[in-house]
Amino acid sequence: MAEKNQLDQIKESLEGYVGRRVQLTAKRGRKKRIIRRGVIEKTYPSIFVIKLDQPDDETRERRLTFSYTDILTRAVEVVVFKSTQQGA
């Protein structure tokens, strides 16, 4: 039951940051991590969506989705930038 409360807290926290810039670090294997920057676009009951920043040479928009459990298990770390920071 405590895990359910933690997932609810994570979801509520991310809902408050919709539209804010974030840096996302995701573990993708034993020693591999990806680091991306973007904006929290939308939250759903089980997942949240990050719209990634576009490199200059790419024309299509990219999005990543993660579950709140990914944050709970520390497979994904999300750092929310202050509104004055540009994510440099």
Side-chain angles (χ1 to χ4, degrees), residues 12-84:
E12 289 174 10
S13 175
L14 284 178
E15 284 175 347
Y17 293 124
V18 170
R20 298 276 301 269
R21 292 191 41 74
V22 296
Q23 178 172 304
L24 177 87
T25 304
K27 296 179 186 176
R28 294 287 189 189
R30 244 177 112 187
K31 294 184 179 181
K32 186 174 180 180
R33 293 176 187 248
I34 62 167
I35 299 173
R36 299 285 187 267
R37 292 184 181 185
V39 175
I40 298 177
E41 185 174 53
K42 183 92 171 149
T43 60
Y44 294 97
S46 299
I47 63 169
F48 61 98
V49 180
I50 306 268
K51 180 179 171 185
L52 298 178
D53 292 344
Q54 290 181 336
D56 293 334
D57 60 345
E58 195 169 317
T59 58
R60 66 174 197 204
E61 294 180 345
R62 297 199 58 208
R63 290 173 175 79
L64 295 176
T65 60
F66 296 96
S67 70
Y68 303 111
T69 307
D70 292 333
I71 293 176
L72 182 65
T73 60
R74 296 195 173 123
V76 171
E77 296 175 8
V78 177
V79 176
V80 179
F81 293 113
K82 294 179 182 178
S83 58
T84 58

